[in-house]
């Protein structure tokens, strides 16, 4: 099997692609991040190495280390693409020595390459909304998408009345009654107290992602807060959250953005949520 260089690393910010392969760069400007695969041309073939070249540390098998001294001497690194100038790629974060032969380039795709345990970015949230209906019934996608979350909006709010009961296995669980507070000219005034708010959006989590919520900072600055639990993987529903007003009161308009959801990719797929709140408020 022959592996041919398609270009060379010129410096820590520059990759030059050979002219005969330059056509393969068409469309690459549409990606923010790339994988650069290259040949570790100054390395040696070894099976046992000292981790990080520290000879005070015991020898380990090379496949359990990040050593450049490997049987096939192939390295790869994720870079941010700054610009494309003909057959020249300007990048940031390139971990390769000048002169390293480049053997392949691939776009970094969050759907495949995002590490488990990572917070989903705006781009990945938008992709999952488009492809997997992660969020439905939103009002304006551009406004509600945030750099690392999604703003949820107020559909209704109710006063909590009476007492609830909680036990260990939920066999004696009783939720308190609520009394919905009507909007007047699309506004509702909430005096100091504890309320239950319902959002407009339907959240639809896959088996590989969970979510947690935080109040919008503007809500906190108005003397109010959002109380939430976690959104388990596999949950689908139009959620309800606690809303606490600490100040003398707050005016909220229908569809006000009150809560930001943050999504986290799990280390592996899990059994989906199957509790009593599954499919809540969507039938």
């Amino acid at each position: 099997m022959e592996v041919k260089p398609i270009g060379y690393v010129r410096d820590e910010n520059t990759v030059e692609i050979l002219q005969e392969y330059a056509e393969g760069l068409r469309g690459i400007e549409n990606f923010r991040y790339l994988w650069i695969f290259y040949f570790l041309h100054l390395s040696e073939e070894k099976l046992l190495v000292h981790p990080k070249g520290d000879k005070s540390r015991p020898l380990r098998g090379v496949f359990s280390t990040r050593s450049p001294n490997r049987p096939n001497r192939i390295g790869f690194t994720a870079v941010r693409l700054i610009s494309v100038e003909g057959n020249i790629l300007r990048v940031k974060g390139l971990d390769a020595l000048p002169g390293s032969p480049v053997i392949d380039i691939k776009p970094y795709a969050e759907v495949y390459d995002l590490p488990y345990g990572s917070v989903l970015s705006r781009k990945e949230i938008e992709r999952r909304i488009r492809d997997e209906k992660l969020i439905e019934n939103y009002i304006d996608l551009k406004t509600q998408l945030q750099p690392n979350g999604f703003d949820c909006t107020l559909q209704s709010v109710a006063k909590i009345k009476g007492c609830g009961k909680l036990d260990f296995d939920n066999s004696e669980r009783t939720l308190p009654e609520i009394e919905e507070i009507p909007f007047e000219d699309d506004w509702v005034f909430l005096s100091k107290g504890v309320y239950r708010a319902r959002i407009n959006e339907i959240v639809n989590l896959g088996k590989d992602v969970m979510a947690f919520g935080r109040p919008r900072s503007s809500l906190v600055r108005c003397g109010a807060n959002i109380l939430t639990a976690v959104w388990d993987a596999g949950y689908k529903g139009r959620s309800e959250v606690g809303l606490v007003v600490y100040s003398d009161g707050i005016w909220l308009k229908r569809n006000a953005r009150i809560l930001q959801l943050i999504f986290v990719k799990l280390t592996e797929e899990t059994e989906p949520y199957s509790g009593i709140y599954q499919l809540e408020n969507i039938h």
Side-chain angles (χ1 to χ4, degrees):
M1 180 180 66
E2 181 183 4
V3 178
K4 300 179 293 184
I6 62 169
Y8 292 88
V9 173
R10 293 309 181 200
D11 57 46
E12 62 182 5
N13 299 118
T14 308
V15 175
E16 181 180 358
I17 302 302
L18 298 176
Q19 284 294 344
E20 57 262 41
Y21 298 107
E23 189 175 0
L25 296 176
R26 184 184 301 178
I28 204 168
E29 68 278 0
N30 296 319
F31 296 91
R32 293 185 64 193
Y33 297 95
L34 305 173
W35 288 110
I36 306 293
F37 295 82
Y38 56 94
F39 188 61
L40 299 162
H41 64 301
L42 299 182
S43 298
E44 301 176 3
E45 181 177 337
K46 293 183 179 180
L47 292 178
L48 294 175
V49 296
H50 296 282
K52 297 185 178 180
D54 184 355
K55 293 186 178 181
S56 67
R57 301 174 66 176
L59 287 168
R60 282 170 50 183
V62 68
F63 303 132
S64 67
T65 75
R66 305 280 292 194
S67 171
N69 297 310
R70 322 182 70 80
N72 288 316
R73 292 182 284 175
I74 295 174
F76 66 98
T77 183
V79 300
R80 181 171 181 177
L81 179 61
I82 304 301
S83 65
V84 182
E85 304 165 12
N87 65 322
I88 303 296
L89 302 180
R90 305 294 183 188
V91 300
K92 185 175 182 180
L94 181 58
D95 182 22
L97 295 175
S100 298
V102 176
I103 57 176
D104 200 7
I105 299 173
K106 292 183 178 181
Y108 180 98
E110 289 183 329
V111 61
Y112 304 116
D113 300 326
L114 185 70
Y116 291 111
S118 299
V119 174
L120 302 193
S121 69
R122 177 190 179 105
K123 183 177 179 181
E124 176 64 5
I125 294 170
E126 185 174 13
R127 185 198 68 78
R128 288 190 181 230
I129 290 174
R130 181 184 66 247
D131 298 345
E132 304 173 14
K133 297 184 177 180
L134 176 68
I135 302 287
E136 300 178 79
N137 205 51
Y138 50 82
I139 296 171
D140 183 84
L141 184 61
K142 183 177 180 181
T143 300
Q144 292 177 253
L145 273 171
Q146 301 301 313
N148 45 257
F150 188 91
D151 281 349
C152 295
T153 58
L154 179 66
Q155 182 188 77
S156 63
V157 63
K159 182 73 175 178
I160 296 176
K161 302 177 63 179
C163 300
K165 293 170 60 180
L166 289 179
D167 62 327
F168 176 74
D169 62 2
N170 295 330
S171 61
E172 299 177 84
R173 173 176 53 191
T174 303
L175 299 180
E177 294 183 357
I178 59 172
E179 180 181 344
E180 187 167 334
I181 303 173
F183 288 88
E184 295 184 9
D185 296 325
D186 278 341
W187 287 90
V188 63
F189 177 77
L190 304 179
S191 58
K192 182 183 293 185
V194 182
Y195 303 85
R196 192 189 301 174
R198 180 183 299 173
I199 63 174
N200 285 302
E201 293 73 24
I202 295 173
V203 180
N204 184 23
L205 299 178
K207 293 188 291 184
D208 67 333
V209 65
M210 57 84 68
F212 57 92
R214 298 296 299 164
R216 288 193 66 213
S217 60
S218 294
L219 188 76
V220 175
R221 294 169 194 267
C222 289
N225 197 7
I226 294 291
L227 305 178
T228 71
V230 299
W231 279 256
D232 286 323
Y235 165 87
K236 181 175 182 178
R238 181 177 280 114
S239 303
E240 296 179 354
V241 298
L243 196 163
V244 182
V245 179
Y246 300 105
S247 62
D248 292 336
I250 185 173
W251 286 94
L252 292 175
K253 193 171 185 178
R254 191 191 308 272
N255 301 331
R257 290 180 290 138
I258 60 172
L259 164 74
Q260 183 173 150
L261 286 181
I262 297 95
F263 302 93
V264 180
K265 188 173 182 180
L266 303 181
T267 55
E268 61 183 3
E269 289 191 355
T270 187
E271 290 295 319
Y273 173 78
S274 59
I276 65 168
Y277 305 117
Q278 183 72 304
L279 303 179
E280 62 179 329
N281 302 318
I282 59 175
H283 292 307

